[in-house]
Amino acid sequence: MQRTNVATPDYYHRVVDCQWACPAHTDVPEYIRLIAQGRFDDAYMLNRKSNVFPGILGRVCDRPCEPACRRTRVDGKAVAICRLKRVAADNKEDIRDRLPAIPMEKNGKKVALIGAGPASLTVANDLMPLGYQVTIFEKGPRAGGLMRINIPAFRLPEEVLDEEIGYIVDMGVDLRCNTPVESLKALLDSEEYDAVFVGSGAPKGKELVLPGRYDSDQIFIGIEWLENIHFGHIDSVGKNVVIIGVGNTAMDCCRSAKRLGANDVKVVARKTRKYFKASPWELEDAEEEHVHIMENLSPVRFVVENGTLVGMEFEEFTSQEIDGKLVQEFKQNVTIPCDTVILAIGQENAFPWIEREIGLEFDKWDVPVVDKITYMSTREGVFFGGDAAFGPANIIWAVEHGHQAAISIHQYCMGKPITERPPQGQTLSSTKMGLHEWSYSNNYSAAARQKMVHIDLHQRFVDLSKEVELGFNAEQTWQEVQRCLNCDVQTHFTESACIECDACLDICPVDCLTITQDGEEEQVKARLKAPALNPNQGLFASGPLKQTGRIMVKDENLCLHCGLCAERCPTYAWDMRKFYLLNPHAGISFEGAEAAPAEVVAP
Amino acid sequence: MSYLTKPKPHHPSLKKNAVGLTRRDYEGGMSTLCAGCGHDSITAAIVQAFWELDIPPHTVGKLSGIGCSSKTPAYFLKEAHGFNSVHGRMPSIATGANAANPDLTLIGVSGDGDSLSIGFGQLSHAIRRNVNLLYLLENNGVYGLTKGQFSASADVGSTSKRGEANLMKPIDPVLIALTLGATFVARSFSGDKEQLVELIEAGLTHKGFAFIDIISPCVTFNDHEGSTKSYAYTRKHQVEVVQADFVPLRHEITTEYEPGAVKEVVMHDHSVLRLHKVDANYDPTDRDRAYAMVRERQEANEVATGLLYVSTGLPDMTEQNGVVPGPLHSLPFEQLCPGSEELEKLQARFR
């Protein structure tokens, strides 16, 4: 078998499932340990370095980290990573003196950012400390983009948004609200800016043109409707509301409808629950508020009588799974009585303000062609990020786009090729403190995932902006931090020290270690002490061991990082080493990583 | 030693045996021995063997004396009965336990100090009586618990950690067992689990005294260059002369060997022991040949391992003595204690 190379960051990074799954590569286990130590400011700052908006994301992140969490494979429930992030944000003190210093003397480069959403704000956050003069053009009255106008305040309070956006704007960003860019050509022709970043989102809700669509004024487009609620243009809704679509916008719509006074709210989906786009926890939260979620219904027409919407007609299907595929058959037509319909079936980009003759190429779906690594369009100096780049995704992706675009903009403005990306690096440092003591808690906690406490149902509907989730209390936090398996503390193997005493194999609770004859990967796999069940997880293979020439193989899939292999190892062939990913941002590079001083990476 | 308990989660492929237990259910407390001790590896082999044989832990008695080896019964089969005896006296306790309850599966764990010095006489008589017991001698050549003095099994010329050479002749437990007429004699190595598990399974099934001498390196005091009981030395000098392939009752025989190379021994419960001989001239049921072969290998600086000698069908201690079948605790009181009249009749026979 190929000897595993652990000198490049990818092997160990992949072991840290949450960090690998996070688009911005947040160092999750490290910030959870900091929370465990009560170091909330440090935990917040570590988060902020990669995901910029810990308070916001600690409430509304799409959480790609949680389904990836190793704990899901060990006992079924992920660590409540997102909620812990909120704990750091809620409990921190004033961190403003720890924000990056902004040079008084500017570097003479000016950058225009279009749209004040998470992508643009991240670009500003990364470029301001480097001396750039950054201008954000925002069409609305306040910064925040979809985070502000589309996510209801009962999920994401205004104060949280204001605080975290304020950290960036207060760096000296020239934020021009109520200033939509009406012509990109004019902006470029002014030659005022060295680079332009488009982070204008995907602000257009998809239309559903069926008979009756334009015969009633009680049919709304989800994101526009939410926006109108945000601005106070809408403060009531009918009694019986049907929401079409079952993504996260639909969840925000149905819960908002409840708060505006609807009695009966139904969310109607074409497919079965397994295929819903909404996150499972958002579905649960909606159902807790007595929203009725219906499957197997495909809209046919809006039923409008005498100019009044009275119902929505659907084709009903039966569903079954055949060979892992959903097979649906028509059953009958049904009409659901209602007085309001809200369409939440997706969003699209819209660039009416970008001229088509300025050298900025659009593809056949009329979206700009954007490089997936550099985020530059076909027009030099114009970059895209967030939903504007590749269509609707989520906040954490927008943040990562912002980071990458900022790297490109910096390279571009400094006259360097934007394809030259600063590489990722790693540091590995032993956590050994004594004979069997480590600088992390290696004891496995069998505690169950802590349940988020919600305010009472009747309290929720009193005020549209009353936050539903209370956040973890001290006891819940204490339990939850211990559930983290510390996957970033790597089992690091030094083959020259191994005497093949089998101690590590015998003690491993999940049988992830094997010493066996070398051979083709498939042969070696067949000889493992327990089968390797997860192709997404690495199989570590050492070189030949000195006594017998066999090799040490480790299946990373279920490793609990309990460190017992290292505790049982008489020769320190196994050591528990903390892995730090050196993740470059604009102006922060880790070339020659092993020489990087500890304080650069340690919070 | 580790201070935390072994985490409960296990690999999803972990199977249950015929009595509904997983291998993890056969574990015991956390070992307090040095990291890398051969004894812990033997413990793991014991766990594996008991699990594979579907033995319910509560039908097992674990016995030991004093020493590093004798601590290990605490680390396997936490649901089993146990007795930690005075130094070297484990065979007496085992004999008593066997007489009181012949239904218990007995496993005694001892070391070279416990067996070949203070308990030498005890070991000899347990062999002589053919007590139905699996006796493991975890042999590391030193007194680890008292900081590494030579034990009676240390080879001439092997050195201590600080460099002094041993000048006294060793006692070879395998030769002793063969001399005294043990009915099952094997040697193995803690670093060769494949072989060891098969031998333990065969030994547990053997009716009578089953003796396995296991080279088990002491990582702290006897795993250095001058040692003849280190991991490196044993790996280099170990020669497997008979490979035991234990086929439990009801299991299909799957391994194929060339005819003539295999000798089959049927155990008292009708399970089959298939002995694959590396040397075709070797007969593991010939005691004199076994003795000579072990000596020859010794002269050649080799450590002969495998099931070296087995003899079935000899009466064990309970049969020789006409012990009441079944455990004494299940006898009705009237039978167990027949009264003073019966006692007087008995005493009259000796007047």
Side-chain angles (χ1 to χ4, degrees), chain A residues 251-429:
Chain A
M251 294 303 107
D252 286 338
C253 288
C254 66
R255 296 177 70 190
S256 295
K258 275 278 180 182
R259 282 159 178 77
L260 293 181
N263 277 343
D264 181 58
V265 181
K266 292 185 170 73
V267 174
V268 181
R270 174 76 169 73
K271 291 184 176 177
T272 53
R273 198 170 181 112
K274 191 177 150 190
Y275 299 91
F276 289 1
K277 280 201 173 147
S279 313
W281 52 89
E282 296 210 24
L283 290 165
E284 279 167 30
D285 290 349
E287 287 182 322
E288 186 182 299
E289 294 177 1
H290 302 193
V291 169
H292 187 189
I293 296 172
M294 303 172 81
E295 306 173 329
N296 296 321
L297 292 166
S298 175
V300 176
R301 68 181 181 102
F302 300 89
V303 186
V304 183
E305 287 172 8
N306 306 323
T308 308
L309 181 71
V310 294
M312 180 98 200
E313 189 180 326
F314 296 89
E315 283 184 341
E316 193 182 355
F317 294 90
T318 57
S319 278
Q320 51 181 335
E321 293 274 328
I322 297 174
D323 300 330
K325 276 188 183 158
L326 182 70
V327 177
Q328 292 184 306
E329 275 175 37
F330 175 75
K331 195 169 142 197
Q332 64 194 31
N333 273 35
V334 290
T335 299
I336 297 174
C338 63
D339 47 31
T340 308
V341 171
I342 295 163
L343 304 172
I345 51 173
Q347 285 160 246
E348 292 169 326
N349 308 55
F351 303 102
W353 49 276
I354 298 182
E355 294 79 357
R356 297 303 192 256
E357 72 282 357
I358 55 171
L360 203 159
E361 205 178 303
F362 279 70
D363 67 12
K364 56 180 171 176
W365 295 285
D366 205 31
V367 290
V369 176
V370 178
D371 187 275
K372 287 219 150 80
I373 291 165
T374 64
Y375 294 84
M376 192 160 84
S377 67
T378 53
R379 160 117 189 189
E380 236 185 56
V382 179
F383 300 84
F384 280 73
D387 290 356
F390 309 115
N394 53 44
I395 304 172
I396 189 66
W397 268 117
V399 169
E400 178 57 12
H401 290 181
H403 282 313
Q404 294 304 325
I407 290 174
S408 298
I409 293 170
H410 185 48
Q411 295 283 92
Y412 179 76
C413 290
M414 295 297 122
K416 292 179 194 161
I418 56 168
T419 46
E420 262 176 35
R421 320 292 294 177
Q424 288 186 335
Q426 68 172 359
T427 62
L428 281 176
S429 47

Side-chain angles (χ1 to χ4, degrees), chain A residues 541-554:
Chain A
S542 75
L545 303 174
K546 64 184 177 192
Q547 288 196 8
T548 65
R550 296 178 297 170
I551 57 169
M552 176 71 78
V553 186
K554 183 193 174 202

Side-chain angles (χ1 to χ4, degrees), chain A residues 74 436 442-444 499-503 506-507 509-511 530-531 533 547-548 550 558 560 564 567-570, chain B residues 1-4 6-7 9-14 23-24 30-31 35-36 40-41 44 191 193 219 223 231-232 235:
Chain A
V74 171
H436 291 131
N442 59 330
N443 207 349
Y444 173 81
I499 58 168
E500 301 168 58
C501 67
D502 285 359
D506 295 335
I507 197 67
V510 287
D511 297 330
L533 303 171
Q547 288 196 8
T548 65
R550 296 178 297 170
L558 292 171
L560 302 173
L564 284 176
E567 293 197 7
R568 277 291 179 94
C569 182
Chain B
M1 59 172 269
S2 295
Y3 302 104
L4 46 99
K6 188 164 170 174
H10 58 71
H11 197 276
S13 69
L14 200 64
R23 190 183 75 239
R24 294 283 310 267
M30 281 294 270
S31 169
D40 284 334
S41 222
K193 205 167 278 129
V219 276
D223 193 39
Y231 283 107
R235 285 216 165 88

Side-chain angles (χ1 to χ4, degrees), chain A residues 7-167:
Chain A
T8 57
D10 270 9
Y11 182 77
Y12 282 146
H13 186 189
R14 205 185 181 97
V15 175
V16 195
D17 295 278
C18 48
Q19 193 178 12
W20 180 260
C22 177
H25 305 311
T26 304
D27 190 351
V28 175
E30 179 67 18
Y31 86 66
I32 290 181
R33 279 193 298 274
L34 291 171
I35 292 169
Q37 294 164 30
R39 292 166 62 186
F40 302 114
D41 294 9
D42 293 336
Y44 183 85
M45 293 311 294
L46 180 69
N47 260 294
R48 195 181 180 284
K49 199 159 62 177
S50 52
N51 59 50
V52 188
F53 306 105
I56 295 169
L57 289 165
R59 290 171 167 82
V60 298
C61 188
D62 220 28
R63 312 178 196 172
C65 51
E66 292 194 14
C69 176
R70 172 160 310 199
R71 195 91 200 196
T72 60
R73 307 194 292 273
V74 171
D75 68 357
K77 292 266 184 172
V79 173
I81 299 170
C82 184
R83 270 70 191 269
L84 287 172
K85 193 190 309 292
R86 178 178 164 182
V87 168
D90 285 358
N91 290 283
K92 71 175 186 310
E93 290 173 5
D94 191 350
I95 51 91
R96 279 173 297 182
D97 59 344
R98 298 180 63 171
L99 293 171
I102 307 302
M104 294 301 285
E105 200 174 311
K106 300 298 174 186
N107 69 356
K109 300 290 179 187
K110 289 185 171 176
V111 180
L113 315 179
I114 301 170
S120 292
L121 289 166
T122 303
V123 175
N125 178 69
D126 287 4
L127 293 182
M128 286 303 292
L130 303 177
Y132 285 84
Q133 282 164 284
V134 175
T135 305
I136 303 183
F137 296 96
E138 167 59 43
K139 71 172 177 192
R142 298 169 80 184
L146 269 74
M147 300 194 292
R148 190 184 291 277
I149 58 175
N150 276 176
I151 298 180
F154 60 82
R155 288 215 295 133
L156 178 57
E158 289 245 292
E159 315 81 84
V160 179
L161 272 165
D162 292 343
E163 179 190 328
E164 293 193 330
I165 293 170
Y167 292 151

